[in-house]
Amino acid sequence: MESRESGIGNSKDGEAERFSDSPFPVPGSRPFGPQRIVCLTEEPTETLYALGEQDRIVGISGFTVRPARARREKPKVSAFTSAKVGEILKLKPDLAIGFSDIQADIAAELIRHGVEVWISNHRSVDGILDYIRRLGALVGAAAKANDYADTLQRGLERIQQQAAALPRRPRIYFEEWDEPPITGIGWVAELIRIAGGDDVFPELAAEPLAKQRILADAGEVVRRAPDIILGSWCGKRFRPEKVAARPGWHAIPAVRDGELHEIKSPLILQPGPAALTDGVSEVARIVQAWAARDYP
């Protein structure tokens, strides 16, 4: 038997020589994690840019607006419910990242073509923070991701502290879509509470699927009498005049007092950094202005 002393590999040079003809990569010889990522939604794009890992991205969603530079730098290869699978395959991705059951068909097609896919399904504020940490770990940036998530968490705590000092809390109806009316998802209801308001449909916010949050009777909004109406119609402009003209809605305090406000969907409806920063800040601004008004 050849002794350890006489064999190659008892020095670093020998170890390199031993592996030089191997068909397998030497551990540590390539950067950690996926190198060619396609982001099928906006939140992985925004997160990877925030972590300084944007060079890994080779394709993005056409709905991406954050950060603005991503639209200039990366090819757009998907919508939300559809994708240019052929264009994605040309990019030779080693990972595609998407969100929710709505992208299940896209994920399945990519998987059939041999692409590794991660579909996240988080629907809460804690879920968003955990998503950021997991994505960071996936690309070898766990420490940066943990620091970033901690910073976002502290920002939410500051807003919550400010809200605790408000003289009153408004009742808020959040509308994600108008025809049919769809109420806000879980993380939106949480952000409303953090900002100092109370969602008037908390039982529906617990439902993960949009079809489960459809209002069968829009008159229920009238009965719950929100002080503020927030509209974020995904993909189109919110029309407060159309909302105010709905039968019987003139009796709603929010309509009577002109408290109908749009929050752009990229700020609040993507479960990523935007919702925990600009999204919740916009809700807080509206709530604070309402609380400061002298209503009868």
Side-chain angles (χ1 to χ4, degrees), residues 41-44 46-47 80 98-100 120-132 134 185 187-188 191 265-276:
T41 55
E42 184 178 61
E43 61 274 3
E46 184 174 9
T47 300
F80 191 51
F99 173 72
S100 87
S120 62
N121 218 5
H122 52 289
R123 312 290 177 117
S124 66
V125 169
D126 283 345
I128 295 171
L129 293 168
D130 183 59
Y131 169 82
I132 291 168
R134 284 186 291 155
I185 198 167
W187 71 80
V188 171
L191 294 176
S265 55
L267 297 185
I268 196 77
L269 292 184
Q270 60 108 328
L276 306 190

PDB file of all heavy atoms in Angstrom, residues 41-44 46-47 80 98-100 120-132 134 185 187-188 191 265-276:
ATOM      1  N   THR A  41     -40.620  37.978 -11.025  1.00  0.00           N
ATOM      2  CA  THR A  41     -41.370  39.054 -10.391  1.00  0.00           C
ATOM      3  C   THR A  41     -40.370  40.117  -9.920  1.00  0.00           C
ATOM      4  O   THR A  41     -39.160  39.924 -10.020  1.00  0.00           O
ATOM      5  CB  THR A  41     -42.204  38.552  -9.199  1.00  0.00           C
ATOM      6  OG1 THR A  41     -41.334  37.866  -8.282  1.00  0.00           O
ATOM      7  CG2 THR A  41     -43.297  37.602  -9.647  1.00  0.00           C
ATOM      8  N   GLU A  42     -40.894  41.209  -9.396  1.00  0.00           N
ATOM      9  CA  GLU A  42     -40.021  42.341  -9.084  1.00  0.00           C
ATOM     10  C   GLU A  42     -39.228  42.166  -7.791  1.00  0.00           C
ATOM     11  O   GLU A  42     -38.080  42.606  -7.697  1.00  0.00           O
ATOM     12  CB  GLU A  42     -40.846  43.621  -8.987  1.00  0.00           C
ATOM     13  CG  GLU A  42     -39.990  44.862  -8.755  1.00  0.00           C
ATOM     14  CD  GLU A  42     -40.806  46.142  -8.710  1.00  0.00           C
ATOM     15  OE1 GLU A  42     -41.681  46.265  -7.831  1.00  0.00           O
ATOM     16  OE2 GLU A  42     -40.573  47.004  -9.564  1.00  0.00           O
ATOM     17  N   GLU A  43     -39.824  41.507  -6.778  1.00  0.00           N
ATOM     18  CA  GLU A  43     -39.179  41.517  -5.461  1.00  0.00           C
ATOM     19  C   GLU A  43     -37.802  40.850  -5.427  1.00  0.00           C
ATOM     20  O   GLU A  43     -36.899  41.359  -4.728  1.00  0.00           O
ATOM     21  CB  GLU A  43     -40.103  40.931  -4.383  1.00  0.00           C
ATOM     22  CG  GLU A  43     -40.531  39.500  -4.555  1.00  0.00           C
ATOM     23  CD  GLU A  43     -41.757  39.364  -5.430  1.00  0.00           C
ATOM     24  OE1 GLU A  43     -42.245  40.386  -5.945  1.00  0.00           O
ATOM     25  OE2 GLU A  43     -42.224  38.223  -5.588  1.00  0.00           O
ATOM     26  N   PRO A  44     -37.526  39.757  -6.169  1.00  0.00           N
ATOM     27  CA  PRO A  44     -36.152  39.261  -6.147  1.00  0.00           C
ATOM     28  C   PRO A  44     -35.175  40.222  -6.819  1.00  0.00           C
ATOM     29  O   PRO A  44     -34.022  40.344  -6.396  1.00  0.00           O
ATOM     30  CB  PRO A  44     -36.234  37.923  -6.890  1.00  0.00           C
ATOM     31  CG  PRO A  44     -37.473  38.001  -7.717  1.00  0.00           C
ATOM     32  CD  PRO A  44     -38.412  38.849  -6.920  1.00  0.00           C
ATOM     33  N   GLU A  46     -35.412  43.600  -6.887  1.00  0.00           N
ATOM     34  CA  GLU A  46     -35.133  44.691  -5.958  1.00  0.00           C
ATOM     35  C   GLU A  46     -34.230  44.218  -4.820  1.00  0.00           C
ATOM     36  O   GLU A  46     -33.311  44.931  -4.402  1.00  0.00           O
ATOM     37  CB  GLU A  46     -36.436  45.258  -5.394  1.00  0.00           C
ATOM     38  CG  GLU A  46     -36.190  46.465  -4.496  1.00  0.00           C
ATOM     39  CD  GLU A  46     -37.466  47.144  -4.024  1.00  0.00           C
ATOM     40  OE1 GLU A  46     -38.563  46.601  -4.235  1.00  0.00           O
ATOM     41  OE2 GLU A  46     -37.337  48.232  -3.424  1.00  0.00           O
ATOM     42  N   THR A  47     -34.467  43.011  -4.335  1.00  0.00           N
ATOM     43  CA  THR A  47     -33.664  42.500  -3.223  1.00  0.00           C
ATOM     44  C   THR A  47     -32.220  42.266  -3.640  1.00  0.00           C
ATOM     45  O   THR A  47     -31.280  42.660  -2.930  1.00  0.00           O
ATOM     46  CB  THR A  47     -34.276  41.190  -2.690  1.00  0.00           C
ATOM     47  OG1 THR A  47     -35.614  41.436  -2.237  1.00  0.00           O
ATOM     48  CG2 THR A  47     -33.456  40.636  -1.541  1.00  0.00           C
ATOM     49  N   PHE A  80     -46.600  38.517 -15.425  1.00  0.00           N
ATOM     50  CA  PHE A  80     -46.832  37.851 -14.139  1.00  0.00           C
ATOM     51  C   PHE A  80     -47.448  36.473 -14.347  1.00  0.00           C
ATOM     52  O   PHE A  80     -47.024  35.496 -13.739  1.00  0.00           O
ATOM     53  CB  PHE A  80     -47.726  38.698 -13.238  1.00  0.00           C
ATOM     54  CG  PHE A  80     -47.770  38.189 -11.816  1.00  0.00           C
ATOM     55  CD1 PHE A  80     -46.607  37.936 -11.108  1.00  0.00           C
ATOM     56  CD2 PHE A  80     -48.982  37.960 -11.191  1.00  0.00           C
ATOM     57  CE1 PHE A  80     -46.645  37.447  -9.809  1.00  0.00           C
ATOM     58  CE2 PHE A  80     -49.029  37.483  -9.884  1.00  0.00           C
ATOM     59  CZ  PHE A  80     -47.861  37.229  -9.197  1.00  0.00           C
ATOM     60  N   GLY A  98     -39.686  32.983  -8.823  1.00  0.00           N
ATOM     61  CA  GLY A  98     -41.019  33.531  -9.014  1.00  0.00           C
ATOM     62  C   GLY A  98     -41.793  33.569  -7.719  1.00  0.00           C
ATOM     63  O   GLY A  98     -41.262  33.286  -6.644  1.00  0.00           O
ATOM     64  N   PHE A  99     -43.083  33.896  -7.836  1.00  0.00           N
ATOM     65  CA  PHE A  99     -43.912  34.032  -6.640  1.00  0.00           C
ATOM     66  C   PHE A  99     -45.294  33.440  -6.859  1.00  0.00           C
ATOM     67  O   PHE A  99     -45.957  33.753  -7.850  1.00  0.00           O
ATOM     68  CB  PHE A  99     -44.051  35.508  -6.244  1.00  0.00           C
ATOM     69  CG  PHE A  99     -45.031  35.749  -5.124  1.00  0.00           C
ATOM     70  CD1 PHE A  99     -44.715  35.384  -3.829  1.00  0.00           C
ATOM     71  CD2 PHE A  99     -46.264  36.312  -5.376  1.00  0.00           C
ATOM     72  CE1 PHE A  99     -45.619  35.582  -2.791  1.00  0.00           C
ATOM     73  CE2 PHE A  99     -47.173  36.522  -4.359  1.00  0.00           C
ATOM     74  CZ  PHE A  99     -46.853  36.155  -3.058  1.00  0.00           C
ATOM     75  N   SER A 100     -45.695  32.588  -5.962  1.00  0.00           N
ATOM     76  CA  SER A 100     -47.072  32.136  -5.761  1.00  0.00           C
ATOM     77  C   SER A 100     -47.579  31.139  -6.796  1.00  0.00           C
ATOM     78  O   SER A 100     -46.978  30.904  -7.843  1.00  0.00           O
ATOM     79  CB  SER A 100     -48.033  33.332  -5.680  1.00  0.00           C
ATOM     80  OG  SER A 100     -48.485  33.735  -6.951  1.00  0.00           O
ATOM     81  N   SER A 120     -41.458  31.230  -4.303  1.00  0.00           N
ATOM     82  CA  SER A 120     -41.777  31.572  -2.916  1.00  0.00           C
ATOM     83  C   SER A 120     -43.280  31.792  -2.795  1.00  0.00           C
ATOM     84  O   SER A 120     -43.968  32.028  -3.788  1.00  0.00           O
ATOM     85  CB  SER A 120     -41.016  32.833  -2.499  1.00  0.00           C
ATOM     86  OG  SER A 120     -41.414  33.927  -3.309  1.00  0.00           O
ATOM     87  N   ASN A 121     -43.785  31.713  -1.589  1.00  0.00           N
ATOM     88  CA  ASN A 121     -45.237  31.834  -1.403  1.00  0.00           C
ATOM     89  C   ASN A 121     -45.556  32.557  -0.103  1.00  0.00           C
ATOM     90  O   ASN A 121     -46.504  32.215   0.588  1.00  0.00           O
ATOM     91  CB  ASN A 121     -45.887  30.453  -1.420  1.00  0.00           C
ATOM     92  CG  ASN A 121     -47.232  30.452  -2.119  1.00  0.00           C
ATOM     93  OD1 ASN A 121     -47.658  31.460  -2.673  1.00  0.00           O
ATOM     94  ND2 ASN A 121     -47.916  29.327  -2.094  1.00  0.00           N
ATOM     95  N   HIS A 122     -44.756  33.557   0.230  1.00  0.00           N
ATOM     96  CA  HIS A 122     -44.932  34.270   1.489  1.00  0.00           C
ATOM     97  C   HIS A 122     -46.047  35.301   1.359  1.00  0.00           C
ATOM     98  O   HIS A 122     -46.178  35.950   0.331  1.00  0.00           O
ATOM     99  CB  HIS A 122     -43.615  34.935   1.905  1.00  0.00           C
ATOM    100  CG  HIS A 122     -42.999  35.781   0.839  1.00  0.00           C
ATOM    101  ND1 HIS A 122     -42.408  35.266  -0.305  1.00  0.00           N
ATOM    102  CD2 HIS A 122     -42.876  37.129   0.727  1.00  0.00           C
ATOM    103  CE1 HIS A 122     -41.959  36.245  -1.049  1.00  0.00           C
ATOM    104  NE2 HIS A 122     -42.235  37.390  -0.445  1.00  0.00           N
ATOM    105  N   ARG A 123     -46.818  35.474   2.425  1.00  0.00           N
ATOM    106  CA  ARG A 123     -47.977  36.384   2.378  1.00  0.00           C
ATOM    107  C   ARG A 123     -48.067  37.268   3.611  1.00  0.00           C
ATOM    108  O   ARG A 123     -49.148  37.769   3.924  1.00  0.00           O
ATOM    109  CB  ARG A 123     -49.270  35.568   2.261  1.00  0.00           C
ATOM    110  CG  ARG A 123     -49.288  34.476   1.196  1.00  0.00           C
ATOM    111  CD  ARG A 123     -49.305  35.024  -0.190  1.00  0.00           C
ATOM    112  NE  ARG A 123     -49.255  33.986  -1.196  1.00  0.00           N
ATOM    113  CZ  ARG A 123     -50.213  33.742  -2.084  1.00  0.00           C
ATOM    114  NH1 ARG A 123     -51.295  34.481  -2.082  1.00  0.00           N
ATOM    115  NH2 ARG A 123     -50.068  32.787  -2.984  1.00  0.00           N
ATOM    116  N   SER A 124     -46.964  37.478   4.319  1.00  0.00           N
ATOM    117  CA  SER A 124     -46.995  38.265   5.545  1.00  0.00           C
ATOM    118  C   SER A 124     -45.740  39.122   5.629  1.00  0.00           C
ATOM    119  O   SER A 124     -44.775  38.917   4.886  1.00  0.00           O
ATOM    120  CB  SER A 124     -47.065  37.353   6.770  1.00  0.00           C
ATOM    121  OG  SER A 124     -45.861  36.601   6.895  1.00  0.00           O
ATOM    122  N   VAL A 125     -45.730  40.072   6.561  1.00  0.00           N
ATOM    123  CA  VAL A 125     -44.551  40.919   6.764  1.00  0.00           C
ATOM    124  C   VAL A 125     -43.371  40.065   7.209  1.00  0.00           C
ATOM    125  O   VAL A 125     -42.260  40.202   6.683  1.00  0.00           O
ATOM    126  CB  VAL A 125     -44.853  42.031   7.784  1.00  0.00           C
ATOM    127  CG1 VAL A 125     -43.568  42.742   8.202  1.00  0.00           C
ATOM    128  CG2 VAL A 125     -45.846  43.028   7.200  1.00  0.00           C
ATOM    129  N   ASP A 126     -43.596  39.179   8.172  1.00  0.00           N
ATOM    130  CA  ASP A 126     -42.514  38.280   8.598  1.00  0.00           C
ATOM    131  C   ASP A 126     -42.043  37.415   7.435  1.00  0.00           C
ATOM    132  O   ASP A 126     -40.852  37.125   7.310  1.00  0.00           O
ATOM    133  CB  ASP A 126     -42.975  37.394   9.751  1.00  0.00           C
ATOM    134  CG  ASP A 126     -42.999  38.137  11.081  1.00  0.00           C
ATOM    135  OD1 ASP A 126     -42.404  39.232  11.167  1.00  0.00           O
ATOM    136  OD2 ASP A 126     -43.622  37.621  12.036  1.00  0.00           O
ATOM    137  N   GLY A 127     -42.988  37.011   6.587  1.00  0.00           N
ATOM    138  CA  GLY A 127     -42.628  36.209   5.429  1.00  0.00           C
ATOM    139  C   GLY A 127     -41.732  36.968   4.461  1.00  0.00           C
ATOM    140  O   GLY A 127     -40.803  36.402   3.879  1.00  0.00           O
ATOM    141  N   ILE A 128     -41.992  38.257   4.284  1.00  0.00           N
ATOM    142  CA  ILE A 128     -41.150  39.078   3.400  1.00  0.00           C
ATOM    143  C   ILE A 128     -39.740  39.184   3.970  1.00  0.00           C
ATOM    144  O   ILE A 128     -38.743  39.027   3.247  1.00  0.00           O
ATOM    145  CB  ILE A 128     -41.760  40.479   3.210  1.00  0.00           C
ATOM    146  CG1 ILE A 128     -43.106  40.389   2.471  1.00  0.00           C
ATOM    147  CG2 ILE A 128     -40.806  41.382   2.431  1.00  0.00           C
ATOM    148  CD1 ILE A 128     -43.873  41.701   2.425  1.00  0.00           C
ATOM    149  N   LEU A 129     -39.641  39.438   5.263  1.00  0.00           N
ATOM    150  CA  LEU A 129     -38.325  39.541   5.896  1.00  0.00           C
ATOM    151  C   LEU A 129     -37.564  38.225   5.792  1.00  0.00           C
ATOM    152  O   LEU A 129     -36.357  38.209   5.508  1.00  0.00           O
ATOM    153  CB  LEU A 129     -38.483  39.959   7.357  1.00  0.00           C
ATOM    154  CG  LEU A 129     -39.016  41.376   7.579  1.00  0.00           C
ATOM    155  CD1 LEU A 129     -39.403  41.583   9.038  1.00  0.00           C
ATOM    156  CD2 LEU A 129     -38.007  42.419   7.136  1.00  0.00           C
ATOM    157  N   ASP A 130     -38.266  37.119   6.007  1.00  0.00           N
ATOM    158  CA  ASP A 130     -37.629  35.810   5.895  1.00  0.00           C
ATOM    159  C   ASP A 130     -37.201  35.527   4.463  1.00  0.00           C
ATOM    160  O   ASP A 130     -36.141  34.943   4.212  1.00  0.00           O
ATOM    161  CB  ASP A 130     -38.586  34.720   6.394  1.00  0.00           C
ATOM    162  CG  ASP A 130     -37.957  33.346   6.379  1.00  0.00           C
ATOM    163  OD1 ASP A 130     -36.926  33.158   7.050  1.00  0.00           O
ATOM    164  OD2 ASP A 130     -38.483  32.444   5.690  1.00  0.00           O
ATOM    165  N   TYR A 131     -38.019  35.946   3.501  1.00  0.00           N
ATOM    166  CA  TYR A 131     -37.690  35.783   2.083  1.00  0.00           C
ATOM    167  C   TYR A 131     -36.378  36.480   1.745  1.00  0.00           C
ATOM    168  O   TYR A 131     -35.520  35.935   1.047  1.00  0.00           O
ATOM    169  CB  TYR A 131     -38.832  36.353   1.242  1.00  0.00           C
ATOM    170  CG  TYR A 131     -38.540  36.489  -0.237  1.00  0.00           C
ATOM    171  CD1 TYR A 131     -38.669  35.397  -1.085  1.00  0.00           C
ATOM    172  CD2 TYR A 131     -38.154  37.713  -0.777  1.00  0.00           C
ATOM    173  CE1 TYR A 131     -38.414  35.523  -2.442  1.00  0.00           C
ATOM    174  CE2 TYR A 131     -37.899  37.836  -2.131  1.00  0.00           C
ATOM    175  CZ  TYR A 131     -38.035  36.748  -2.956  1.00  0.00           C
ATOM    176  OH  TYR A 131     -37.771  36.882  -4.306  1.00  0.00           O
ATOM    177  N   ILE A 132     -36.209  37.692   2.238  1.00  0.00           N
ATOM    178  CA  ILE A 132     -34.973  38.443   1.986  1.00  0.00           C
ATOM    179  C   ILE A 132     -33.779  37.705   2.557  1.00  0.00           C
ATOM    180  O   ILE A 132     -32.720  37.585   1.914  1.00  0.00           O
ATOM    181  CB  ILE A 132     -35.092  39.859   2.576  1.00  0.00           C
ATOM    182  CG1 ILE A 132     -36.112  40.673   1.768  1.00  0.00           C
ATOM    183  CG2 ILE A 132     -33.729  40.562   2.602  1.00  0.00           C
ATOM    184  CD1 ILE A 132     -36.515  41.970   2.423  1.00  0.00           C
ATOM    185  N   ARG A 134     -33.538  34.445   3.149  1.00  0.00           N
ATOM    186  CA  ARG A 134     -33.319  33.190   2.398  1.00  0.00           C
ATOM    187  C   ARG A 134     -32.678  33.461   1.044  1.00  0.00           C
ATOM    188  O   ARG A 134     -31.782  32.728   0.621  1.00  0.00           O
ATOM    189  CB  ARG A 134     -34.641  32.445   2.221  1.00  0.00           C
ATOM    190  CG  ARG A 134     -35.125  31.734   3.476  1.00  0.00           C
ATOM    191  CD  ARG A 134     -36.351  30.894   3.194  1.00  0.00           C
ATOM    192  NE  ARG A 134     -37.502  31.728   2.896  1.00  0.00           N
ATOM    193  CZ  ARG A 134     -38.547  31.331   2.180  1.00  0.00           C
ATOM    194  NH1 ARG A 134     -38.566  30.131   1.634  1.00  0.00           N
ATOM    195  NH2 ARG A 134     -39.570  32.142   1.982  1.00  0.00           N
ATOM    196  N   ILE A 185     -54.528  41.825   0.614  1.00  0.00           N
ATOM    197  CA  ILE A 185     -53.896  40.592   1.047  1.00  0.00           C
ATOM    198  C   ILE A 185     -53.260  40.783   2.428  1.00  0.00           C
ATOM    199  O   ILE A 185     -53.180  41.895   2.952  1.00  0.00           O
ATOM    200  CB  ILE A 185     -52.851  40.145   0.003  1.00  0.00           C
ATOM    201  CG1 ILE A 185     -52.481  38.668   0.167  1.00  0.00           C
ATOM    202  CG2 ILE A 185     -51.627  41.057   0.039  1.00  0.00           C
ATOM    203  CD1 ILE A 185     -51.710  38.108  -1.019  1.00  0.00           C
ATOM    204  N   TRP A 187     -50.201  40.835   3.946  1.00  0.00           N
ATOM    205  CA  TRP A 187     -49.160  41.799   4.336  1.00  0.00           C
ATOM    206  C   TRP A 187     -49.660  43.234   4.248  1.00  0.00           C
ATOM    207  O   TRP A 187     -49.196  44.094   4.987  1.00  0.00           O
ATOM    208  CB  TRP A 187     -47.885  41.610   3.514  1.00  0.00           C
ATOM    209  CG  TRP A 187     -47.947  42.005   2.083  1.00  0.00           C
ATOM    210  CD1 TRP A 187     -47.847  43.274   1.572  1.00  0.00           C
ATOM    211  CD2 TRP A 187     -48.116  41.148   0.948  1.00  0.00           C
ATOM    212  NE1 TRP A 187     -47.941  43.259   0.203  1.00  0.00           N
ATOM    213  CE2 TRP A 187     -48.103  41.951  -0.214  1.00  0.00           C
ATOM    214  CE3 TRP A 187     -48.263  39.764   0.807  1.00  0.00           C
ATOM    215  CZ2 TRP A 187     -48.238  41.430  -1.500  1.00  0.00           C
ATOM    216  CZ3 TRP A 187     -48.405  39.233  -0.473  1.00  0.00           C
ATOM    217  CH2 TRP A 187     -48.394  40.064  -1.604  1.00  0.00           C
ATOM    218  N   VAL A 188     -50.628  43.494   3.360  1.00  0.00           N
ATOM    219  CA  VAL A 188     -51.189  44.847   3.263  1.00  0.00           C
ATOM    220  C   VAL A 188     -51.950  45.187   4.543  1.00  0.00           C
ATOM    221  O   VAL A 188     -51.792  46.282   5.102  1.00  0.00           O
ATOM    222  CB  VAL A 188     -52.106  44.964   2.032  1.00  0.00           C
ATOM    223  CG1 VAL A 188     -52.856  46.299   2.057  1.00  0.00           C
ATOM    224  CG2 VAL A 188     -51.301  44.832   0.751  1.00  0.00           C
ATOM    225  N   LEU A 191     -49.465  45.975   7.248  1.00  0.00           N
ATOM    226  CA  LEU A 191     -48.841  47.284   7.092  1.00  0.00           C
ATOM    227  C   LEU A 191     -49.810  48.403   7.465  1.00  0.00           C
ATOM    228  O   LEU A 191     -49.397  49.428   8.008  1.00  0.00           O
ATOM    229  CB  LEU A 191     -48.334  47.460   5.663  1.00  0.00           C
ATOM    230  CG  LEU A 191     -47.185  46.523   5.267  1.00  0.00           C
ATOM    231  CD1 LEU A 191     -46.817  46.713   3.802  1.00  0.00           C
ATOM    232  CD2 LEU A 191     -45.962  46.738   6.158  1.00  0.00           C
ATOM    233  N   SER A 265     -49.442  50.215  -7.181  1.00  0.00           N
ATOM    234  CA  SER A 265     -49.302  48.794  -6.879  1.00  0.00           C
ATOM    235  C   SER A 265     -47.858  48.327  -6.710  1.00  0.00           C
ATOM    236  O   SER A 265     -47.601  47.461  -5.859  1.00  0.00           O
ATOM    237  CB  SER A 265     -50.026  47.943  -7.935  1.00  0.00           C
ATOM    238  OG  SER A 265     -49.589  48.242  -9.234  1.00  0.00           O
ATOM    239  N   PRO A 266     -46.858  48.863  -7.465  1.00  0.00           N
ATOM    240  CA  PRO A 266     -45.486  48.403  -7.207  1.00  0.00           C
ATOM    241  C   PRO A 266     -44.987  48.719  -5.804  1.00  0.00           C
ATOM    242  O   PRO A 266     -44.039  48.085  -5.329  1.00  0.00           O
ATOM    243  CB  PRO A 266     -44.667  49.162  -8.262  1.00  0.00           C
ATOM    244  CG  PRO A 266     -45.629  49.477  -9.359  1.00  0.00           C
ATOM    245  CD  PRO A 266     -46.916  49.759  -8.643  1.00  0.00           C
ATOM    246  N   LEU A 267     -45.637  49.692  -5.135  1.00  0.00           N
ATOM    247  CA  LEU A 267     -45.207  50.062  -3.790  1.00  0.00           C
ATOM    248  C   LEU A 267     -45.770  49.153  -2.714  1.00  0.00           C
ATOM    249  O   LEU A 267     -45.181  49.048  -1.638  1.00  0.00           O
ATOM    250  CB  LEU A 267     -45.621  51.502  -3.471  1.00  0.00           C
ATOM    251  CG  LEU A 267     -45.023  52.619  -4.310  1.00  0.00           C
ATOM    252  CD1 LEU A 267     -45.463  53.960  -3.751  1.00  0.00           C
ATOM    253  CD2 LEU A 267     -43.511  52.518  -4.350  1.00  0.00           C
ATOM    254  N   ILE A 268     -46.895  48.502  -2.978  1.00  0.00           N
ATOM    255  CA  ILE A 268     -47.588  47.814  -1.889  1.00  0.00           C
ATOM    256  C   ILE A 268     -47.967  46.374  -2.221  1.00  0.00           C
ATOM    257  O   ILE A 268     -48.101  45.539  -1.329  1.00  0.00           O
ATOM    258  CB  ILE A 268     -48.854  48.612  -1.491  1.00  0.00           C
ATOM    259  CG1 ILE A 268     -49.402  48.168  -0.133  1.00  0.00           C
ATOM    260  CG2 ILE A 268     -49.920  48.539  -2.573  1.00  0.00           C
ATOM    261  CD1 ILE A 268     -48.652  48.689   1.043  1.00  0.00           C
ATOM    262  N   LEU A 269     -48.117  46.041  -3.501  1.00  0.00           N
ATOM    263  CA  LEU A 269     -48.624  44.721  -3.856  1.00  0.00           C
ATOM    264  C   LEU A 269     -47.536  43.720  -4.240  1.00  0.00           C
ATOM    265  O   LEU A 269     -47.859  42.584  -4.579  1.00  0.00           O
ATOM    266  CB  LEU A 269     -49.648  44.828  -4.992  1.00  0.00           C
ATOM    267  CG  LEU A 269     -50.967  45.510  -4.625  1.00  0.00           C
ATOM    268  CD1 LEU A 269     -51.930  45.476  -5.806  1.00  0.00           C
ATOM    269  CD2 LEU A 269     -51.605  44.871  -3.398  1.00  0.00           C
ATOM    270  N   GLN A 270     -46.269  44.127  -4.221  1.00  0.00           N
ATOM    271  CA  GLN A 270     -45.223  43.130  -4.419  1.00  0.00           C
ATOM    272  C   GLN A 270     -44.620  42.814  -3.049  1.00  0.00           C
ATOM    273  O   GLN A 270     -44.253  43.728  -2.309  1.00  0.00           O
ATOM    274  CB  GLN A 270     -44.163  43.590  -5.433  1.00  0.00           C
ATOM    275  CG  GLN A 270     -43.413  44.861  -5.056  1.00  0.00           C
ATOM    276  CD  GLN A 270     -41.978  44.607  -4.638  1.00  0.00           C
ATOM    277  OE1 GLN A 270     -41.662  43.568  -4.073  1.00  0.00           O
ATOM    278  NE2 GLN A 270     -41.109  45.563  -4.911  1.00  0.00           N
ATOM    279  N   PRO A 271     -44.556  41.535  -2.683  1.00  0.00           N
ATOM    280  CA  PRO A 271     -44.129  41.163  -1.333  1.00  0.00           C
ATOM    281  C   PRO A 271     -42.620  41.194  -1.163  1.00  0.00           C
ATOM    282  O   PRO A 271     -41.953  40.168  -1.005  1.00  0.00           O
ATOM    283  CB  PRO A 271     -44.682  39.740  -1.186  1.00  0.00           C
ATOM    284  CG  PRO A 271     -44.627  39.188  -2.578  1.00  0.00           C
ATOM    285  CD  PRO A 271     -44.947  40.350  -3.485  1.00  0.00           C
ATOM    286  N   GLY A 272     -42.082  42.400  -1.231  1.00  0.00           N
ATOM    287  CA  GLY A 272     -40.644  42.570  -1.130  1.00  0.00           C
ATOM    288  C   GLY A 272     -40.313  43.873  -0.431  1.00  0.00           C
ATOM    289  O   GLY A 272     -41.158  44.458   0.271  1.00  0.00           O
ATOM    290  N   PRO A 273     -39.111  44.385  -0.626  1.00  0.00           N
ATOM    291  CA  PRO A 273     -38.665  45.589   0.085  1.00  0.00           C
ATOM    292  C   PRO A 273     -39.551  46.805  -0.117  1.00  0.00           C
ATOM    293  O   PRO A 273     -39.710  47.614   0.803  1.00  0.00           O
ATOM    294  CB  PRO A 273     -37.265  45.822  -0.492  1.00  0.00           C
ATOM    295  CG  PRO A 273     -36.794  44.474  -0.935  1.00  0.00           C
ATOM    296  CD  PRO A 273     -38.029  43.786  -1.440  1.00  0.00           C
ATOM    297  N   ALA A 274     -40.133  46.978  -1.301  1.00  0.00           N
ATOM    298  CA  ALA A 274     -40.938  48.174  -1.568  1.00  0.00           C
ATOM    299  C   ALA A 274     -42.073  48.317  -0.566  1.00  0.00           C
ATOM    300  O   ALA A 274     -42.329  49.413  -0.045  1.00  0.00           O
ATOM    301  CB  ALA A 274     -41.495  48.125  -2.988  1.00  0.00           C
ATOM    302  N   ALA A 275     -42.768  47.221  -0.289  1.00  0.00           N
ATOM    303  CA  ALA A 275     -43.914  47.284   0.624  1.00  0.00           C
ATOM    304  C   ALA A 275     -43.493  47.682   2.026  1.00  0.00           C
ATOM    305  O   ALA A 275     -44.240  48.372   2.732  1.00  0.00           O
ATOM    306  CB  ALA A 275     -44.623  45.927   0.654  1.00  0.00           C
ATOM    307  N   LEU A 276     -42.288  47.255   2.431  1.00  0.00           N
ATOM    308  CA  LEU A 276     -41.824  47.524   3.791  1.00  0.00           C
ATOM    309  C   LEU A 276     -41.141  48.883   3.922  1.00  0.00           C
ATOM    310  O   LEU A 276     -40.730  49.254   5.025  1.00  0.00           O
ATOM    311  CB  LEU A 276     -40.851  46.428   4.238  1.00  0.00           C
ATOM    312  CG  LEU A 276     -41.352  44.985   4.136  1.00  0.00           C
ATOM    313  CD1 LEU A 276     -40.382  44.056   4.841  1.00  0.00           C
ATOM    314  CD2 LEU A 276     -42.757  44.837   4.704  1.00  0.00           C
TER     315      LEU A 276
END
